[in-house]
Amino acid sequence: MTLLEGSVGVEDLVLLEPLEQESLIRNLQLRYEKKEIYTYIGNVLVSVNPYQPLPIYDLEFVAKYRDYSFYELKPHIYALASMAYQSLRDQDRDQCILITGESGAGKTEASKLVMSYVAAVCGKGEQVNSVKEQLLQSNPVLEAFGNAKTIRNNNSSRFGKYMDIEFDFKGSPLGGVITNYLLEKSRVVKQLEGERNFHIFYQLLTGADAELLKALKLERDPGGYAFLNPDTSRVDGMDDDANFKVLQSAMTVIGFSEEEIRQVLEVAALVLKLGNVELVDEFQANGVPASGIRDGRGVQEIGELVGLNSVELERALCSRTVETAREKVVTALTVTQAQYARDALAKNIYSRLFNWLVNRINESIKVGTGEKRKVMGVLDIYGFEILEDNSFEQFVINYCNEKLQQVFIEMTLKEEQEEYKREGIPWVKVDYFDNGIICNLIEHNRQGILAMLDEECLRPGVVSDSTFLAKLNQLFSKHSHYESKVTQNAQHQYDHSMGLSCFRICHYAGKVTYNVNSFIDKNNDLLFRDLSQAMWKARHPLLRYLFPEGDPKQASLKRPPTAGAQFKSSVTTLMKNLYSKNPNYIRCIKPNEHQQRGHFSSGLVSAQARYLGLLENVRVRRAGYAYRQAYGSFLERYRLLSRSTWPRWTGGDQEGVEKVLGELSMSSEELAFGKTKIFIKSPKTLFYLEEQRRLRLQQLATLIQKTYRGWRCRTHYQLMRKSQIVISSWFRGNMQKKRYGKMKASALLIQAFVRGWKARKNYRKYFRSGAALILSNFIYKSMVQRFLLGLKNDLPSPSILDKKWPSAPYKCFSTANHELQRLFHQWKCKKFRDQLSPKQVEVLREKLCASELFKGKKASYAQRNPKLQKLKGGAEGPILMAETVMKVNRGNGKTSSRILLLTKGHVIITDTKNPQAKTAIPLSSLAGVSVTSFQDGLFSLHLSEISSVGAKGDFLLVSEHVIELLTKIYRATLDATQTRLPVTVTEEFAVKSKEGSLTVKVAQGPGGGGTGKLSCKKKGSRCLEVTVQ
């Protein structure tokens, strides 16, 4: 886990100290300013919208987070998606990812990132790729019909979405199911200033060609439609034309036919044109107010577009038929009522079209019933909302978030309790705020607010929002989480912010005041039966399908379920679905109201953190032990704090962790040892461990630096000492040579005088004895003549290998006899050389050179290289020798095959597989050769540092015919540079590289080194041990 080292702030808020709202917001701001938009709360991900593209979502990051576990890298949405996918694939546990937050917080983008990551890491194949493409292409379709520009967000999802992605046993996607919640259909007929209608209308008007617009009876100018805000037809950074083409392409990929796409666009055009139907006041004959259509051309175009009788449509818009079991009563509608009917029809058409699109996508991506499936759900839904004027929509949204908070608390505590049980640690009951009382206040089947709302809608008699509020005041007057003006007055409380038509609920995220105006109408969500029947009579297949209740054969007097009841049923189903899966949470936060990059509004973020219950999440997660980690990972990080476990530990992981914490004298109350994990209660304890680790790392760094500096100084001193010795030896040698020359000249002069004196003395002594000298000379010459004549008749054979020679008959002839033997041998050698060809002469010179270099020094000297003889015999060009060698990698001791070519000027080393990749070493760059005394082929070519090749370092090679090869190199160097190449026979030598010097130590193995095979093993970063087998 990346804890504190190198991180910005605290990456996991469970470790936050002190645990307060201010410190939490300050930590989020610090990370946001450093473009760290993700933070953990245990396994919950908090995401702050950066409002700018960040380079953290490419394939490199996908691969990185796929190969690591959740806490091993920085917080990222890919880490959470990877954990969920791996748990689904490997542990066979169904997953769900809950994405919540305000509009503009980045929920839609988060769901896209999760889906794109899963698509990138799951299996491949034609069918799998097709399924992945359909799942991904569902986003543009749902965004076009379900997203809109709001004041807070240019691409705000105006509906809740839950997608179940289904996988096979291998983890490859098979398909999915999408469920939508609470589409904001009121946006179809009315938008706030600065907002837009749904994207599809602007994409259609901008991106459709002239022929399509003519067929749909539309004009390109958005200002000509009452349902569209003309001032906000364009949005910065959004290309409606390109998005329309993307929409058409996506629908084709999903499986929509051309006819289906055309019908969908016709229904969208119908909604636009309904807004231009202008209603005016009229009066019936009896003076009763009625309504009519100002210009019938718009209704006529609608009839032509969808195959509908314009007269019937006008009648359905301007009148209402009330049908009982006995009679039918037709009532004319006033202008206000007719406008309500027109708007209700437009909202219902669009809402049913959106539901049909979701069902149509589900048909394309659904999975066959016979396959065993694993499921990953992704929930993208509204976050908790507190507006200035909160109505029915905010009420049901906050109800849904109360249920989601209940799921989070229960599932988190359950997960904590299961982990404690697995690890054998006693579970202590956690005190937390249970919002079940709030959920019960809203959803109780008989005495809940939704039940009361439905009861009021169905009750006969005069029904209004005021009667509904009065019933709530009567029923919940003593409820601790319900307030209204009436209950406050009863308790003698004064609150000027509470209106007479309002009630307040104390939600988990704070108090929210709701205005009951329009609660009854929005819950009823009625569409007059006349309009349903008129739509069913259209000759448009899709429009008829959207209004099945308009069929007279299926007509029913039964009242349809209310909007609140439908939403409650959907939430119940959703909660049941979530409880059956392992939850994963993404809490999205928007940093400012103006979508500005780099701007962080602490007040706004604080409010969202309160709505999302972040502080409560941290408290629940920290209720037991704030931090836990597997023994192996913990020991690997902190083992340097104990002398018993550093630098090496051979015992078990748990035993090592106990040693470390024991030597640090940690309090037993702060620790708990599970079966596989260590649990730490307080973040302060963890921070203490991190501080000790930081100090220990500084000590180790100092030790390493000290050792390195010492080595560097010793190396420098040894080089200086070696240089001084060389200089001194040369100086002393030169001085002694001069002194010796003077002494020799003096000695010769003295000897000459002495010999002259003795000669003169002897001459005077034997001046009269000349006869004896003549006789002795005659006898000596006779003996010499007889010796020489006898030697002539007893000469050995002329073979140069025959070293026999007659012994001297007299001791005085020994010196002459040896000299004659030498002269005779030289004569035989000359005769032999005169008979040799130049090539044979060169071979003999190489053998002589090899003898001088290696005889008596290298164990493998006696071996010969028949392959070399063959290569020599066939080489007539400039290549002096070709040999296959093994190059030893200085980094890891591994060998690789190379070809070594020796020419008159270079040593060329080339790759056996790629002859083009070669290294040419000039013979003038060779500084020396090192070779061992064992029967192996290891040798090193030392290069001078001033050469371009030498900068790369020395070469460490292995040859089966090292004697012949080095002899050739020695001779070639001598011929090329007129200098002798130093050849060193040793068992330890240094090899230079760009990273520094590497010491090579060669030792003889247990077998005595008879085979000559080598085994290389790297010891540390500066030593390579070689064993001769």
Side-chain angles (χ1 to χ4, degrees):
M1 174 181 178
T2 54
L3 188 63
L4 297 174
E5 186 178 340
S7 63
V8 178
V10 179
E11 294 183 346
D12 192 339
L13 294 177
V14 173
L15 304 176
L16 185 65
E17 285 290 341
L19 182 56
E20 299 172 351
Q21 182 81 0
E22 292 77 12
S23 60
L24 187 149
I25 301 304
R26 190 163 52 250
N27 187 73
L28 291 177
Q29 181 175 4
L30 174 63
R31 292 179 58 77
Y32 179 77
E33 290 172 351
K34 299 296 184 181
K35 296 184 179 180
E36 297 288 348
I37 64 172
Y38 296 116
T39 308
Y40 291 143
I41 303 177
N43 57 359
V44 176
L45 182 71
V46 179
S47 171
V48 184
N49 195 338
Y51 292 123
Q52 61 178 313
L54 297 178
I56 57 173
Y57 303 109
D58 54 20
L59 292 178
E60 178 184 350
F61 278 82
V62 171
K64 182 188 297 185
Y65 281 88
R66 177 177 56 193
D67 298 332
Y68 288 88
S69 60
F70 187 72
Y71 288 111
E72 290 184 317
L73 296 173
K74 289 183 178 181
H76 200 289
I77 193 170
Y78 285 169
L80 183 134
S82 178
M83 180 180 68
Y85 178 72
Q86 290 177 10
S87 179
L88 175 138
R89 183 191 61 193
D90 302 333
Q91 302 177 17
D92 208 16
R93 296 176 63 186
D94 287 350
Q95 303 290 317
C96 63
I97 299 177
L98 282 68
I99 307 173
T100 56
E102 283 193 12
S103 176
K107 301 188 298 297
T108 302
E109 288 301 317
S111 65
K112 288 181 185 177
L113 289 171
V114 169
M115 293 178 63
S116 64
Y117 175 84
V118 173
V121 301
C122 63
K124 309 293 182 184
E126 184 176 350
Q127 183 178 358
V128 173
N129 290 337
S130 175
V131 172
K132 289 194 292 188
E133 190 65 21
Q134 287 183 339
L135 290 172
L136 293 175
Q137 291 301 322
S138 65
N139 284 322
V141 178
L142 295 178
E143 284 187 18
F145 286 88
N147 288 24
K149 179 195 181 306
T150 64
I151 297 174
R152 298 177 174 181
N153 185 6
N154 288 344
N155 188 30
S156 175
S157 298
R158 307 316 300 161
F159 69 103
K161 179 181 70 173
Y162 178 76
M163 173 184 282
D164 267 335
I165 307 173
E166 302 179 348
F167 300 82
D168 62 11
F169 69 96
K170 297 178 295 185
S172 299
L174 299 172
V177 178
I178 300 173
T179 306
N180 63 297
Y181 300 95
L182 202 65
L183 176 72
E184 188 189 19
K185 56 186 178 182
S186 61
R187 179 170 294 273
V188 174
V189 298
K190 184 179 180 182
Q191 307 94 42
L192 298 177
E193 184 179 353
E195 295 190 349
R196 292 205 318 177
N197 210 320
F198 291 100
H199 291 327
I200 179 60
F201 299 120
Y202 304 93
Q203 293 176 4
L204 177 59
L205 296 178
T206 306
D209 55 34
E211 183 179 352
L212 178 59
L213 287 178
K214 183 178 179 181
L216 297 177
K217 303 185 182 303
L218 297 175
E219 300 293 334
R220 195 172 295 278
D221 181 18
Y225 299 95
F227 283 169
L228 302 182
N229 262 349
D231 299 333
T232 54
S233 59
R234 298 285 181 183
V235 178
D236 294 338
M238 185 174 294
D239 189 345
D240 291 321
D241 186 5
N243 289 339
F244 184 70
K245 293 179 174 58
V246 171
L247 168 66
Q248 291 177 307
S249 174
M251 295 179 76
T252 303
V253 170
I254 292 172
F256 284 81
S257 65
E258 292 292 335
E259 184 62 27
E260 286 177 323
I261 296 175
R262 180 65 174 260
Q263 291 177 10
V264 168
L265 297 180
E266 288 174 348
V267 173
L270 167 61
V271 174
L272 274 181
K273 297 191 73 62
L274 273 175
N276 288 351
V277 175
E278 188 176 356
L279 299 162
V280 294
D281 286 319
E282 291 184 357
F283 293 92
Q284 294 181 343
N286 56 3
V288 175
S291 59
I293 296 175
R294 182 186 298 275
D295 185 3
R297 190 165 66 90
V299 177
Q300 184 178 355
E301 288 182 351
I302 292 175
E304 294 173 357
L305 180 63
V306 296
L308 182 64
N309 190 326
S310 58
V311 177
E312 292 186 1
L313 176 59
E314 183 175 355
R315 184 186 306 115
L317 288 172
C318 298
S319 62
R320 178 186 179 187
T321 301
V322 179
E323 184 175 354
T324 64
R326 297 181 180 180
E327 61 178 346
K328 291 183 180 180
V329 178
V330 179
T331 305
L333 300 177
T334 63
V335 171
T336 303
Q337 292 172 334
Q339 289 174 345
Y340 173 83
R342 179 199 62 192
D343 292 348
L345 176 61
K347 291 187 290 185
N348 269 271
I349 291 175
Y350 193 82
S351 175
R352 297 184 187 205
L353 173 63
F354 187 76
N355 292 336
W356 180 86
L357 283 170
V358 172
N359 293 331
R360 179 63 183 82
I361 293 173
N362 286 338
E363 287 181 10
S364 297
I365 62 176
K366 68 180 179 182
V367 184
T369 56
E371 299 186 58
K372 184 180 179 181
R373 302 184 293 272
K374 305 175 183 180
V375 179
M376 176 186 290
V378 179
L379 177 64
D380 174 6
I381 201 165
Y382 303 103
F384 199 89
E385 289 190 352
I386 303 179
L387 307 179
E388 292 184 3
D389 184 18
N390 301 288
S391 187
F392 178 77
E393 291 83 4
Q394 283 70 46
F395 176 74
V396 293
I397 288 171
N398 294 342
Y399 159 60
C400 179
N401 278 273
E402 284 286 356
K403 296 294 290 184
L404 290 175
Q405 177 69 4
Q406 189 178 36
V407 170
F408 172 77
I409 297 295
E410 292 181 4
M411 296 296 285
T412 301
L413 288 177
K414 180 181 178 183
E415 184 181 352
E416 287 282 293
Q417 189 172 1
E418 287 179 352
E419 183 171 17
Y420 280 44
K421 185 177 180 181
R422 283 196 307 269
E423 295 293 328
I425 295 176
W427 171 256
V428 180
K429 184 177 180 181
V430 178
D431 293 329
Y432 66 96
F433 172 66
D434 185 1
N435 65 339
I437 186 173
I438 303 175
C439 297
N440 195 50
L441 169 66
I442 298 172
E443 68 179 1
H444 192 278
N445 289 334
R446 293 185 179 179
Q447 295 183 343
I449 294 177
L450 287 176
M452 293 299 100
L453 182 60
D454 287 349
E455 181 179 314
E456 195 67 11
C457 290
L458 300 175
R459 182 174 63 84
V462 179
V463 176
S464 67
D465 298 317
S466 300
T467 59
F468 165 63
L469 180 59
K471 182 174 289 188
L472 294 184
N473 292 334
Q474 180 183 0
L475 186 62
F476 303 119
S477 60
K478 297 183 179 180
H479 199 287
S480 60
H481 289 79
Y482 176 87
E483 294 179 6
S484 69
K485 200 70 173 178
V486 174
T487 61
Q488 288 180 348
N489 291 336
Q491 298 175 9
H492 304 288
Q493 297 177 355
Y494 176 73
D495 184 358
H496 67 278
S497 63
M498 178 74 73
L500 293 174
S501 62
C502 299
F503 67 92
R504 181 179 295 158
I505 295 179
C506 299
H507 289 281
Y508 78 93
K511 295 182 179 181
V512 184
T513 303
Y514 300 100
N515 191 330
V516 296
N517 289 335
S518 303
F519 259 58
I520 298 294
D521 290 340
K522 291 178 179 178
N523 189 51
N524 276 325
D525 193 25
L526 291 178
L527 179 69
F528 296 152
R529 186 178 291 111
D530 303 70
L531 294 171
S532 298
Q533 292 175 350
M535 294 300 103
W536 185 84
K537 292 177 181 179
R539 292 188 297 276
H540 193 276
L542 178 55
L543 191 60
R544 285 173 60 90
Y545 180 83
L546 297 179
F547 291 89
E549 74 275 14
D551 185 357
K553 297 179 181 179
Q554 300 181 11
S556 172
L557 299 179
K558 183 179 179 181
R559 189 182 183 92
T562 61
Q566 294 181 42
F567 188 74
K568 177 184 174 183
S569 176
S570 300
V571 169
T572 302
T573 304
L574 175 63
M575 295 302 114
K576 183 178 179 181
N577 200 348
L578 297 181
Y579 275 117
S580 67
K581 296 178 174 63
N582 182 54
N584 304 273
Y585 301 92
I586 301 176
R587 307 297 201 189
C588 297
I589 294 176
K590 64 177 181 179
N592 59 78
E593 289 282 11
H594 309 292
Q595 305 177 35
Q596 295 178 354
R597 64 177 66 183
H599 179 63
F600 190 94
S601 174
S602 300
L604 177 64
V605 175
S606 180
Q608 294 175 80
R610 187 171 63 253
Y611 301 160
L612 294 170
L614 298 187
L615 204 60
E616 184 74 11
N617 293 358
V618 178
R619 289 196 178 104
V620 171
R621 189 68 169 77
R622 283 178 57 167
Y625 292 90
Y627 176 78
R628 72 286 314 267
Q629 194 172 28
Y631 286 123
S633 301
F634 188 89
L635 181 62
E636 182 65 25
R637 185 171 184 83
Y638 298 109
R639 66 190 180 96
L640 51 83
L641 298 180
S642 169
R643 295 185 179 274
S644 302
T645 57
W646 180 263
R648 291 182 178 85
W649 172 252
T650 57
D653 292 340
Q654 182 174 354
E655 183 184 355
V657 172
E658 292 174 353
K659 284 275 187 183
V660 172
L661 297 178
E663 292 189 16
L664 292 173
S665 301
M666 306 290 288
S667 172
S668 58
E669 296 178 356
E670 286 289 320
L671 306 173
F673 294 92
K675 296 178 180 178
T676 63
K677 295 180 179 180
I678 173 69
F679 288 73
I680 298 177
K681 194 175 193 65
S682 170
K684 292 182 179 178
T685 304
L686 188 63
F687 296 153
Y688 171 75
L689 285 173
E690 280 297 313
E691 180 64 17
Q692 294 299 313
R693 181 177 183 271
R694 185 184 64 81
L695 295 175
R696 180 59 175 158
L697 285 174
Q698 290 180 353
Q699 294 174 359
L700 293 176
T702 303
L703 177 61
I704 293 171
Q705 290 173 350
K706 180 179 70 174
T707 305
Y708 169 73
R709 291 192 188 106
W711 169 83
R712 189 175 64 179
C713 290
R714 284 192 298 274
T715 303
H716 182 64
Y717 166 75
Q718 289 170 357
L719 289 174
M720 291 180 65
R721 184 172 180 271
K722 187 182 297 184
S723 302
Q724 186 270 333
I725 291 173
V726 171
I727 294 171
S728 300
S729 63
W730 276 94
F731 175 77
R732 285 194 297 269
N734 186 55
M735 186 174 62
Q736 292 297 328
K737 285 179 183 178
K738 290 181 179 180
R739 183 182 177 190
Y740 171 74
K742 291 181 180 180
M743 292 177 64
K744 182 179 179 182
S746 301
L748 290 176
L749 181 62
I750 294 172
Q751 288 174 355
F753 276 102
V754 171
R755 281 195 296 271
W757 175 77
K758 289 178 67 176
R760 287 191 295 274
K761 183 179 180 181
N762 289 335
Y763 174 76
R764 284 193 292 271
K765 182 179 179 180
Y766 295 107
F767 183 72
R768 296 178 182 178
S769 304
L773 181 60
I774 294 172
L775 288 174
S776 63
N777 287 340
F778 176 80
I779 295 170
Y780 183 77
K781 289 179 180 179
S782 299
M783 292 171 60
V784 170
Q785 185 178 16
R786 187 168 55 186
F787 166 67
L788 293 176
L789 290 174
L791 187 62
K792 174 184 177 182
N793 298 326
D794 197 18
L795 287 175
S797 66
S799 173
I800 61 173
L801 299 178
D802 188 0
K803 296 186 179 181
K804 294 179 181 179
W805 187 258
S807 59
Y810 301 104
K811 191 175 182 179
C812 62
F813 293 151
S814 296
T815 302
N817 189 49
H818 287 309
E819 186 65 17
L820 289 172
Q821 181 182 2
R822 185 182 64 80
L823 292 173
F824 183 76
H825 181 72
Q826 288 182 352
W827 174 79
K828 288 194 296 182
C829 290
K830 183 178 184 306
K831 293 274 291 184
F832 179 78
R833 287 197 303 270
D834 293 340
Q835 298 172 2
L836 296 176
S837 65
K839 185 177 294 186
Q840 292 173 322
V841 171
E842 186 64 22
V843 170
L844 288 177
R845 285 180 178 170
E846 291 173 0
K847 289 184 177 181
L848 177 60
C849 184
S851 174
E852 293 173 353
L853 293 175
F854 301 106
K855 188 173 183 180
K857 302 178 183 178
K858 182 70 174 171
S860 59
Y861 169 74
Q863 298 177 354
R864 290 294 180 264
N865 184 0
K867 179 179 178 181
L868 174 62
Q869 302 301 327
K870 183 177 179 181
L871 288 171
K872 272 183 54 181
E876 296 296 334
I879 297 177
L880 301 180
M881 182 173 181
E883 171 68 356
T884 299
V885 298
M886 302 300 291
K887 181 177 180 294
V888 180
N889 190 309
R890 297 182 297 247
N892 53 25
K894 295 183 179 180
T895 60
S896 55
S897 180
R898 297 287 189 274
I899 295 176
L900 187 146
L901 303 175
L902 176 63
T903 67
K904 291 183 178 181
H906 294 81
V907 175
I908 301 173
I909 300 175
T910 182
D911 196 336
T912 56
K913 297 180 180 178
N914 183 13
Q916 298 299 325
K918 62 185 179 180
T919 302
I921 306 172
L923 294 179
S924 59
S925 297
L926 293 180
V929 177
S930 293
V931 67
T932 71
S933 62
F934 301 124
Q935 193 168 351
D936 64 282
L938 180 69
F939 68 98
S940 174
L941 293 178
H942 301 293
L943 308 181
S944 62
E945 295 181 351
I946 60 173
S947 65
S948 59
V949 180
K952 300 180 181 178
D954 300 338
F955 286 84
L956 192 59
L957 306 171
V958 180
S959 172
E960 295 180 0
H961 311 99
V962 66
I963 301 298
E964 288 80 0
L965 177 59
L966 294 184
T967 302
K968 282 280 190 180
I969 294 174
Y970 180 89
R971 293 281 302 168
T973 305
L974 183 60
D975 294 339
T977 64
Q978 304 302 316
T979 57
R980 295 180 180 273
L981 180 66
V983 179
T984 305
V985 181
T986 178
E987 278 69 59
E988 181 174 343
F989 53 90
V991 178
K992 295 180 296 184
S993 66
K994 290 190 291 186
E995 290 77 15
S997 178
L998 176 71
T999 302
V1000 181
K1001 297 181 179 180
V1002 186
Q1004 203 167 39
T1011 62
K1013 294 183 178 179
L1014 301 178
S1015 173
C1016 301
K1017 187 174 183 181
K1018 191 74 178 291
K1019 288 291 186 179
S1021 62
R1022 292 288 182 265
C1023 183
L1024 178 68
E1025 291 188 357
V1026 182
T1027 305
V1028 183
Q1029 303 294 337

